[in-house]
Amino acid sequence: MIPAAFDYVAPTSVEDALAALAQHGDDAKIIAGGQSLLPVLRMRLNAPEMVIDLGRIESLRGVRDDGDAIVVGAMTPHSVVGSDPLVAQHAALVAKAVEHLADAQVRHRGTFGGALAHADPAGDLGAPALALGAEFVVAGPGGSRTVAADDFFVDLFETAIGEDEILTEVRLPKRTGWGAHYEKFVRVAHQWPIVAVAATVRVEGGVIAEARIGLTNMGSTPLRARAVEEALAGQPATEDAVRAAAEHATEGTNPPSDLNGDADYRRHLARVLTRRAILAAAS
Ligand SMILES: Cc1cc2nc3c(=O)[nH]c(=O)nc-3n(C[C@H](O)[C@H](O)[C@H](O)COP(=O)(O)OP(=O)(O)OC[C@H]3O[C@@H](n4cnc5c(N)ncnc54)[C@H](O)[C@@H]3O)c2cc1C
């Protein structure tokens, strides 16, 4: 279907984009890579009168080193994030997840910030961002504010970004030297996961000193598997110890049931994929 008619602006600064948002209010929609928004417009599930394209704002693109964090601009395409050496060195979990995100065309057009702002509970970037303890920098009429990962994902397709705000960058605290793995379970290649697990661990002398685990599609938002993290701390990085900790993977989850699998099946997957993800990260 062809989208309903809309006006279009492509500002070249965040300030001008915010001004356009303020002017058009509820009638405006931001477009980043368009990989999720355009299907929504074509199905006429949303019919904004004004589309504000962030594609010409150069300051929103790129990856930089900022001391104890790696900063990813919201408009940085997945393909750039996935091949960036700073991300690979200091936030390897994100690089691993991007490897499994969609196909090359979508990775070329879709953006890091767009995927996180979209907040699809089956999206591949939410759980790694949560597990890494990312910080989301959001610009609005009153300036910029920073939202912790724990507060960013509010509900299904809902984040802490206000209607008059724009996500400008995501700060990923450096976890240099940590092992990382993203274990994604799909029925068909290049698709959203039925369940996936993002694991990053710091191993010292064969012992798991610290672990941070995120779950994809086990609730209406990405979730931290805190019970697993606690069970792992101080344990040897062995199959038996990891298997026992992974049994806690479903605590605090509320997985959906759909054509790809019911909630019980997803709980089973969460335990199995958590064990696999941790063992791979620890090795
Ligand atoms: C065929 C196909 C397969 C896919 N498979 C996967 C997959 O396996 N895993 C996965 O995780 N994703 C998948 N995706 C989605 C992909 O990751 C998209 O890139 C992503 O969901 C949206 O990013 P975008 O830049 O295209 O955002 P857009 O579609 O342009 O925007 C998405 C939403 O976020 C808002 N938004 C965008 N940027 C900002 C910002 N800076 N500030 C505030 N709001 C903003 C928009 O208003 C819109 O509501 C797939 C998409 C397609 C088309």
Side-chain angles (χ1 to χ4, degrees), residues 234-245:
Q235 295 296 315
T238 60
E239 170 115 26
D240 284 350
V242 171
R243 183 185 296 276

Side-chain angles (χ1 to χ4, degrees), residues 29-39 54 74 78 100-103 106 109-111 113-115 117-118 122-125 161 165-168 184 190-193:
K29 198 82 188 146
I30 285 170
I31 190 165
Q35 298 303 292
S36 296
L37 183 64
L38 284 178
L54 303 183
H78 302 310
H100 296 277
L101 190 155
D103 51 48
V106 173
R109 297 289 314 173
T111 66
H118 189 54
D124 285 306
L125 298 182
I161 306 172
E165 292 181 319
I166 292 172
L167 176 65
T168 55
K184 173 168 171 173
H190 304 313
Q191 271 299 345
W192 285 266

Side-chain angles (χ1 to χ4, degrees), residues 47-202:
E49 289 174 12
M50 170 61 75
V51 170
I52 303 167
D53 187 348
L54 303 183
R56 291 192 190 157
I57 308 180
E58 281 307 315
S59 63
L60 295 181
R61 285 180 196 274
V63 179
R64 63 185 162 86
D65 191 329
D66 190 27
D68 49 11
I70 295 301
V71 182
V72 182
M75 286 297 292
T76 312
H78 302 310
S79 54
V80 172
V81 176
S83 60
D84 187 275
L86 286 172
V87 174
Q89 189 182 354
H90 303 293
L93 188 53
V94 164
K96 300 269 180 186
V98 171
E99 272 175 33
H100 296 277
L101 190 155
D103 51 48
Q105 285 165 304
V106 173
R107 288 198 294 273
H108 185 68
R109 297 289 314 173
T111 66
F112 195 66
L116 289 163
H118 189 54
D120 184 337
D124 285 306
L125 298 182
L130 197 59
L132 288 171
E135 293 179 326
F136 295 79
V137 183
V138 175
S144 279
R145 65 190 178 99
T146 300
V147 182
D150 286 341
D151 302 322
F152 183 76
F153 300 101
V154 175
D155 206 344
L156 206 66
F157 299 106
E158 192 186 335
T159 69
I161 306 172
E163 295 208 336
D164 55 355
E165 292 181 319
I166 292 172
L167 176 65
T168 55
E169 58 189 30
V170 182
R171 299 176 61 84
L172 303 169
K174 284 184 182 171
R175 302 207 181 270
T176 319
W178 288 48
H181 188 78
Y182 189 67
E183 186 76 20
K184 173 168 171 173
F185 191 84
V186 283
R187 210 163 42 83
V188 188
H190 304 313
Q191 271 299 345
W192 285 266
I194 298 173
V195 173
V197 177
T200 188
V201 297
R202 185 166 60 81

